Amino acid sequence: MNIECLTLGSMQVNCYVLCENGEAVVIDPGSECDKVMSYIEKSGCNLSKILLTHGHFDHIGAVKELAEKSGAEVYVHSGDAPMLEDNTKNLSYLTGEEIETFSADKFLDDVEKLTVGNSEIKVYYTPGHSKGSVSFLCGDNLFCGDLLFKGSIGRFDHGSLRIELTSLKFLMDNFSDDIKVFPGHGESTTIGEERRNNPYILNHVLD
């Protein structure tokens, strides 16, 4: 499988494109639809699914256009589905540049299994940053949105710190050190690196 990270927009969101055997899945296309489409076309893959880790504006801004151009289905957890349809809930109204709203095609369930090519993508419900935040595991690659960053964690002022810490504990308890972590912003890391060095994990999850 090929994994490409496209860093998009003023918020520098990491959009991930997973390609295998002529099929592509996109995770969190936050903006710059043309850039995402250009990469997919050059890869020779057909986009089948748009997967959303959560519904904040910076992660969903290009979804409607990308879905219309590609015919791909949009997947989100039901807890964040209202955010796709309401610029107050997805917080784009705070920027002065509201996004074009849309609706999801399918809702994601905890431990649901999806596919890209011959590979399995497992869905984990990991709320806290938002009510409906999820993470996606494909092989030894974990795409966790804004739950966990290298050396930090996602903001929780629009979510719940208590619930977010519970989701972080789930990651630490259930994934091995060698699992690669691909966050919604910033550099990639590993579960082991965060278990050893992340102050939030050390002081609030593993203490």
Side-chain angles (χ1 to χ4, degrees), residues 186-200:
E187 299 176 57
S188 61
T189 182
T190 66
I191 290 292
E193 183 175 349
E194 299 314 301
R195 186 179 279 123
R196 292 186 296 269
N197 301 313
N198 189 314
Y200 295 93

Side-chain angles (χ1 to χ4, degrees), residues 21-39:
N21 292 347
E23 182 182 5
V25 166
V26 169
I27 300 173
D28 290 355
S31 60
E32 300 184 77
C33 176
D34 289 345
K35 183 175 180 178
V36 180
M37 282 297 301
S38 177
Y39 175 80

Side-chain angles (χ1 to χ4, degrees), residues 54-87:
H54 64 291
H56 287 150
F57 73 94
D58 53 327
H59 289 252
I60 66 171
V63 172
K64 182 173 183 179
E65 184 179 1
L66 188 61
E68 289 175 347
K69 288 184 175 180
S70 65
E73 292 186 312
V74 178
Y75 292 68
V76 73
H77 189 275
S78 59
D80 276 13
M83 300 167 76
L84 312 184
E85 303 173 349
D86 188 325
N87 283 325

